[in-house]
Amino acid sequence: MHILIINAGSSSIKFQLILMPSEKVICSGMVERIGSNNSVLTYKSDKTNIKETKSILTHKNGLQNIVDILLDKTVGAIKNTNQIAAVGHRVVHGGKYFVGTTLITNEVKEKINELAPLAPLHNPHNLEGILIAEELFSEAKQIAIFDTAFHRTIPEIASKYAIPSTFYDKHGLQLYGFHGTSHKYVSEKAISYLNKDDSKIISIHLGNGCSATAIVEGKSIDHSLGFAPANGLIMGSRSGDIDHSIIFYLVNKLGYNLDDVNKLLTKESGMLGLTGYNDLRDIQLEAEKGNIECILALEMNAYRIKKYIGAYTAAMNGLDAIIFTAGIGENSQVLRKLVCSDMDYLDIRLDDKKNKIISNSLREINVNDSKIKILVIPTNEELEIAIQVFEKLS
Ligand code: ADP
C-alpha cells in the first residue's frame, strides 16, 4: 500500500511516500518558502536527489509541484495518482475531539477549522493541505493524525489548570500536549526494547520545540507543553516555563503590547534569547571556547530537563527508562551528559563511552548495572503516521 504523508505548514509542505507494511520510504522531500519567487523544491529517492529554486506562490501550487514530480517519467515514483491508497495528514490540534487516527469527513474538517484559534499557526494550513489533497488525490482515503491525540489519556489532575472551572468547561482552557506522534513512536520502541508492557517511561523530545512526556503502560499521563506549545522545557527560541507575572510587567511597566510579548517569548527567547544562537551546535562550540553565556544556557537547559525527570518520576511513582529523541536528543552528547549528571539518587547513571557513540539506531547509554535505562531512540514521525494510517485501513 502506497501511503503519502503530508505535513503542511505556514510556508512549507513536507512529504514522504511510504510503502506499507514494508515501511520502505520510496521518496521524500518538501516545498519551502511558499509564497515567494525563491521557493525551494527538494526531492529525494533511490534514483535522484533534486533541489530546485522556483516560484511557488500558493499551497495548491506547492502540492501540484509535488504531484508533478511524483508522476515524473524519469525521476517519479508513481505512474498515476490512483496508486496512492491513502494520504496521511499531520494535524497539530485535535482539541478534545480526536483521540486517534481519523478518517477525514466534512464533520472532521469542520472541527479542525473550529480548533484553528487554538493552533492559529498550524491548523489552518493543515486543513488547506487536506482540501488540496482531496482534489489532487481524489481516489485516496484522507486520514488525519493529530499531535494532541496521544495526550488525550492525560487525566484531569494533570491537564486542568488551577483557574475557575468554567474556563475548562466552556472555553477548553487545558493542557492538550504536542509532539504526540513522536512520543508515541519512541515510547513504543522503548516498551518493546524493555519487553515490559507496564513500563514507566519519560520521553524527552529535544528539537527546535522541546517537550517531556510521562508515559505509563504506553499511555501519556503528563506532558510539559500545555495549552499551546509554549510551556515546559527551554527551547530553541521559546522560553518554556516562566512566571506569568512577567507578562504583566512587560505590558504595564515596559510598554509591550501583547503581540510583542508573544514574539518575545516564542521567537526571541529560549536558547536564542540566552545566547544569541538558535542552533545547539553553535552554542556547544561557543561553550567549548569558554563563552560563559553559552555554558550557562546549556546548564540551564539541562537543569530544566532534570526537574521534569524528577517531577515525572514522582508522578509515576517509579521509572524504568528515559528516552532522548529528536535533533538534539539524538545528537547532543553534551546535553545528555549534563542532564544525566548527578542523578544517581534516581539510579540514572550515564556510561560516558556509550554516550559518545554516533549511531542512527536505538541504543542504551546507561552503565550496565543501573536499573534505569537511558535510551537514545531516533524519532520518525512520518513513519509513525504511515503505521497509524495502515493500521486504520487494515
Ligand atoms: P524540529 O523540531 O524542527 O523537527 P529537529 O528535531 O530537527 O527539529 O532538531 C533541530 C535541532 O537539533 C537544532 O537546534 C540543532 O541544533 C539540533 N542538532 C542537530 N544535530 C545536532 C548535533 N549533532 N549536535 C547537537 N545538536 C544538534
Side-chain angles (χ1 to χ4, degrees):
M1 185 188 287
H2 286 78
I3 300 178
L4 181 66
I5 312 303
I6 290 185
N7 181 354
S10 57
S11 63
S12 71
I13 304 173
K14 293 186 193 146
F15 70 95
Q16 258 190 36
L17 183 60
I18 301 183
L19 193 64
M20 293 297 287
S22 69
E23 302 187 356
K24 179 176 169 41
V25 177
I26 299 173
C27 61
S28 64
M30 64 155 90
V31 178
E32 288 169 280
R33 291 199 221 134
I34 294 174
S36 91
N37 289 323
N38 297 315
S39 314
V40 182
L41 170 72
T42 45
Y43 178 82
K44 202 170 134 196
S45 72
D46 288 348
K47 297 182 214 163
T48 189
N49 202 339
I50 293 173
K51 187 169 183 178
E52 256 179 57
T53 303
K54 58 203 290 190
S55 168
I56 299 178
L57 295 178
T58 61
H59 280 70
K60 181 157 189 183
N61 196 214
L63 204 50
Q64 185 62 58
N65 267 273
I66 293 170
V67 172
D68 290 347
I69 201 150
L70 286 173
L71 291 170
D72 188 274
K73 289 217 169 59
T74 31
V75 295
I78 50 169
K79 293 202 168 59
N80 192 304
T81 50
N82 293 351
Q83 273 177 263
I84 308 285
V87 183
H89 295 270
R90 177 194 177 205
V91 181
V92 165
H93 220 301
K96 286 187 190 178
Y97 302 122
F98 300 108
V99 288
T101 320
T102 306
L103 186 69
I104 296 171
T105 60
N106 285 339
E107 201 193 342
V108 171
K109 285 184 275 182
E110 276 164 29
K111 292 269 188 272
I112 293 172
N113 188 39
E114 189 187 314
L115 292 164
L118 296 181
L121 301 178
H122 294 101
N123 271 34
H125 304 291
N126 302 154
L127 182 58
E128 202 181 354
I130 291 170
L131 296 173
I132 304 166
E134 281 178 332
E135 269 182 50
L136 297 178
F137 301 96
S138 54
E139 304 285 307
K141 294 260 189 308
Q142 307 287 333
I143 313 270
I145 285 80
F146 297 91
D147 278 20
T148 49
F150 181 59
H151 300 297
R152 294 304 298 137
T153 46
I154 296 179
E156 279 186 349
I157 192 173
S159 68
K160 266 185 100 165
Y161 293 113
I163 56 177
S165 288
T166 165
F167 291 99
Y168 175 74
D169 300 332
K170 288 211 180 114
H171 302 287
L173 291 188
Q174 63 164 91
L175 183 157
Y176 288 106
F178 300 89
H179 296 146
T181 310
S182 172
H183 288 297
K184 182 172 190 297
Y185 179 80
V186 294
S187 61
E188 281 173 1
K189 291 264 177 225
I191 289 167
S192 108
Y193 177 78
L194 299 168
N195 198 14
K196 187 169 185 274
D197 287 343
D198 61 352
S199 294
K200 296 175 175 176
I201 292 171
I202 300 172
S203 167
I204 306 166
H205 176 110
L206 305 174
N208 281 314
C210 302
S211 65
T213 304
I215 297 163
V216 178
E217 296 179 7
K219 293 192 173 66
S220 170
I221 63 127
D222 204 349
H223 174 72
S224 63
L225 294 166
F227 176 67
N231 209 54
L233 307 182
I234 298 176
M235 308 182 220
S237 65
R238 288 173 253 171
S239 66
D241 288 341
I242 195 164
D243 179 345
H244 64 251
S245 54
I246 287 175
I247 296 171
F248 302 110
Y249 194 89
L250 286 165
V251 172
N252 295 331
K253 296 273 184 228
L254 302 184
Y256 276 62
N257 66 37
L258 285 176
D259 283 344
D260 295 336
V261 174
N262 192 28
K263 190 163 162 241
L264 176 75
L265 296 180
T266 58
K267 299 231 161 34
E268 297 166 358
S269 294
M271 298 304 274
L272 176 68
L274 289 169
T275 66
Y277 300 96
N278 197 13
D279 194 305
L280 201 81
R281 283 165 287 202
D282 297 328
I283 298 169
Q284 289 176 178
L285 279 176
E286 281 299 310
E288 266 175 41
K289 288 189 231 154
N291 180 323
I292 290 167
E293 280 182 343
C294 290
I295 293 169
L296 180 61
L298 285 170
E299 284 172 352
M300 286 171 66
N301 192 321
Y303 181 71
R304 183 80 56 88
I305 298 169
K306 272 171 185 278
K307 290 209 292 189
Y308 273 87
I309 292 173
Y312 289 164
T313 305
M316 296 191 292
N317 190 21
L319 180 66
D320 293 300
I322 60 174
I323 304 169
F324 286 101
T325 193
I328 295 170
E330 289 164 34
N331 296 301
S332 175
Q333 44 172 282
V334 173
L335 198 68
R336 290 194 302 251
K337 183 170 173 151
L338 284 170
V339 170
C340 296
S341 62
D342 302 324
M343 294 281 267
D344 39 318
Y345 179 77
L346 293 181
D347 208 20
I348 294 172
R349 289 180 289 133
L350 189 79
D351 182 313
D352 260 340
K353 273 204 191 121
K354 291 185 196 163
N355 185 39
K356 285 184 181 144
I357 294 170
I358 296 169
S359 148
N360 285 329
S361 44
L362 185 155
R363 56 206 185 271
E364 191 180 309
I365 57 169
N366 49 278
V367 296
N368 288 340
D369 65 340
S370 92
K371 280 204 306 279
I372 313 298
K373 302 284 183 209
I374 307 170
L375 303 175
V376 180
I377 307 183
T379 193
N380 192 335
E381 285 159 294
E382 289 78 15
L383 178 57
E384 177 58 32
I385 292 176
I387 291 168
Q388 290 190 39
V389 169
F390 185 70
E391 275 171 6
K392 180 86 184 165
L393 298 179
S394 299

